Amino acid sequence: MAAAADGGTHLSGSVLIIGTGLLGTSIGLGLSARGADVVLSDLSPSTEAVARDIGAGRLLSTAGEGFEPALVVVAAPPDVTAPLAAAALKDWPAAVVVDIASVKSAVLADLRERDADLSRYVGTHPMAGREKSGPVAARAELFNGMPWVICPPEEAAPDAVRCAEALAFDLGAVVSRMSAEEHDASVALTSHLPQVMASLVASRLQETPPQSLALSGNGLRDVTRIAASDPNLWVQILSGNAGRLVPILHGVREDLNRLIRTLEDPVADGARLDMAQLIAEGNAGQARIPGKHGGPAQTFVSFTVLVDDTPGQIGRLLTEIGEIGVNLEDLRLEHASGRQVGRAEISVLPGRVNDLVSELSARGWKVVQ
Amino acid sequence: MAAAADGGTHLSGSVLIIGTGLLGTSIGLGLSARGADVVLSDLSPSTEAVARDIGAGRLLSTAGEGFEPALVVVAAPPDVTAPLAAAALKDWPAAVVVDIASVKSAVLADLRERDADLSRYVGTHPMAGREKSGPVAARAELFNGMPWVICPPEEAAPDAVRCAEALAFDLGAVVSRMSAEEHDASVALTSHLPQVMASLVASRLQETPPQSLALSGNGLRDVTRIAASDPNLWVQILSGNAGRLVPILHGVREDLNRLIRTLEDPVADGARLDMAQLIAEGNAGQARIPGKHGGPAQTFVSFTVLVDDTPGQIGRLLTEIGEIGVNLEDLRLEHASGRQVGRAEISVLPGRVNDLVSELSARGWKVVQ
């Protein structure tokens, strides 16, 4: 386990959290559970009161005259992160200040313009979240096992970087380090591009007749799942990384134009070859996405088992897979349209699939694929 | 259950299957298992021999002089479906002929041009498949619980339509009926659009450095999953429905241009509002996708449980959920990058979530969200 045991932290001294939404409050809960002294502050008195009431820490307003945090975590929306971090660096001249905004270069550039003391600043990005927001949705375990990217500026002192890493480490996150530029280039491709493309697909469904939508399958559901995102947050994220995202979208537009040209005249010379090329390029890109546990791209084998949609059926299936002694690498449930029948897609290592399929069939399970 | 019991069919008479790839052979296996007389034919002698050897039926070449099918199923690639269906209507003047190509209007138009006897023809589309192809990958249960759309032309005799429906019904599919035009308009939006958008996203990853791809999360994986598709098949599908798909892609291009404009100058008047509008339009479209079992859009509540990545852990969790008496509505596994820790996202009906979370926590499970 990378996380510190409950009751101990790698951080020392008090931690001030500015912004007690989902992420700030989750950090407070996680650090408090490990015994750290956590102090909370939010523009909204009711929001910070909720965070305190659920155990994320005590309030800054009651912390008293001599309070000096060793670490300040700015956990505010991206738009106000830089001014709040600059103010924190001034207000607490002995503290390390980290922020957790999901774009990093714009925050750093803004802090440079404000002549902030960057030796005590470290930008970070915990890649965790949930669909709900606000302190009530916070969870101490939110960051457990999730990536947390640390982006120190050149000026950052080694102690400041160690402090930022200790924060992520104490919360059980998987720490990696890169520059703000590298981070923003990476998330433009791996997070912001899929986000906007999902929205563009979902947007087309606004006027679709219900009988057409009845043919929706897992393909459409997968592609559009993240389209159910908060517009206000995403405007801040996309604007904050626009310089990285625009060239990628220009590339998408070129490919889209290429595709539209082939489809407008599919019998033209070379049209079908070009169409096949576009799909093959997608194959090549998709195959590069790393698999489970950050390892090489997925090499599991999948098959499907039909299950009744009643309580305990899936549990029984997975218990039997455990009894057979095969480790489940991935699992997805799929539901038959209009029927109380489910399909469980089971992924395992290729070497185990034949044994497992025979054994499950022998136990009476209907294995489809 | 909608399916006929094993050993009985709603179809009567012999069924000839032309094309013994994944779908044709799966149809043969399913009908043979229900006791039907199935006869197989494929351009490739080795392919049809494999289909016979795994029990999908007997070969046409050995069927003898007097053989007369009651139903011919053309299960060939979309490109050759119309000529094969026209030939079958001529060769077997007493038989109903159905095809299973995933585009329907182009096949019907081609058959009209060939002056085929459309009173005996019904276009259909079983919405099932798997990543593998060929007869070896075939499964008798492939269509169980999956949608199967029946698209009779105006000229189709009622008996021919009943025969096509009996085929889908015998294989356990969920039958729906619409015109070829309606079908093609529906799948252009619900299947072909997400397919090409997934390819366009995945294509951008071809040159990405591995350290950037290491930040890939479930969002990117979901959006690009179907980009791993066969280029040759998809060229046929997209070309066959180009007339429907192109206007949709024009709409996507307009939205993409709108988005690029706002990102090229995010501080311009109205840019942020327009960006928020684009994301909100995606929210609205996504919310219209029907949920499980073809019911209204999903209204389940999700939370996450941390699990060790060892055999039987997920099974134990789901068994306990069954014991608590709550029906699992959906389940997804997520794996922590670089760590042997998994996260199980559990979806249940809103009324049951609080009880379930308290009970699981009391049993020692770490509930995250």
Side-chain angles (χ1 to χ4, degrees), chain A residues 130 139 293 339 368-369, chain B residues 130 139 293 339 368-369:
Chain A
R130 44 183 314 205
R139 296 288 183 269
H293 300 314
R339 295 264 299 280
V368 179
Q369 48 180 347
Chain B
R130 46 185 312 205
R139 297 286 182 271
H293 300 314
R339 294 263 302 280
V368 179
Q369 50 181 349

Side-chain angles (χ1 to χ4, degrees), chain A residues 75-342:
Chain A
D79 260 4
V80 293
T81 291
L84 286 174
L89 286 163
K90 276 205 185 121
D91 292 347
W92 313 103
V96 171
V97 174
V98 309
D99 78 295
I100 60 162
S102 48
V103 288
K104 303 271 50 109
S105 308
V107 172
L108 180 58
D110 194 336
L111 287 174
R112 278 197 210 286
E113 272 180 30
R114 291 168 192 270
D115 268 331
D117 176 5
L118 296 178
S119 70
R120 294 184 288 117
Y121 165 75
V122 181
T124 81
H125 180 200
M127 302 187 76
R130 44 183 314 205
E131 279 140 45
K132 296 179 202 164
S133 59
V136 175
R139 296 288 183 269
E141 300 291 341
L142 188 66
F143 308 99
N144 200 330
M146 304 303 280
W148 193 318
V149 186
I150 310 287
C151 305
E154 286 168 23
E155 298 90 333
D159 275 359
V161 179
R162 271 193 293 274
C163 178
E165 289 180 338
L167 168 70
F169 201 64
D170 282 340
L171 294 170
V174 181
V175 182
S176 64
R177 202 196 282 197
M178 55 180 77
S179 72
E181 286 291 299
E182 279 177 294
H183 168 273
D184 286 2
S186 301
V187 294
L189 265 169
T190 59
S191 166
H192 307 170
L193 172 66
Q195 179 64 47
V196 302
M197 295 293 274
S199 296
L200 292 179
V201 175
S203 186
R204 293 294 108 201
L205 306 176
Q206 289 178 93
E207 309 292 328
T208 313
Q211 67 271 29
S212 291
L213 287 172
L215 298 188
S216 303
N218 273 347
L220 180 66
R221 288 196 184 86
D222 283 349
V223 170
T224 57
R225 200 182 313 276
I226 55 173
S229 299
D230 177 16
N232 293 319
L233 176 64
W234 274 94
V235 165
Q236 296 185 36
I237 295 173
L238 299 178
S239 317
N241 205 22
R244 292 290 184 176
L245 186 55
V246 164
I248 297 169
L249 293 179
H250 284 163
V252 169
R253 181 164 61 184
E254 272 174 44
D255 280 351
L256 179 60
N257 284 331
R258 234 172 102 198
L259 177 65
I260 289 175
R261 262 194 314 274
T262 67
L263 288 170
E264 281 174 341
D265 189 3
V267 295
D269 271 5
R272 287 179 155 234
L273 184 62
D274 206 21
M275 217 183 293
Q277 183 64 29
L278 278 159
I279 308 274
E281 287 165 12
N283 293 170
Q286 202 268 349
R288 300 190 69 231
I289 300 174
K292 187 178 169 185
H293 300 314
Q298 174 165 331
T299 49
F300 307 131
V301 177
S302 301
F303 61 92
T304 299
V305 180
L306 298 185
V307 285
D308 290 344
D309 195 10
T310 52
Q313 271 287 95
I314 302 279
R316 190 164 72 79
L317 170 63
L318 300 191
T319 301
E320 294 195 12
I321 292 174
E323 284 167 9
I324 297 166
V326 176
N327 194 15
L328 186 69
E329 301 292 339
D330 217 339
L331 170 69
R332 299 195 70 197
L333 288 185
E334 191 182 322
H335 299 285
S337 141
R339 295 264 299 280
Q340 300 299 312
V341 174

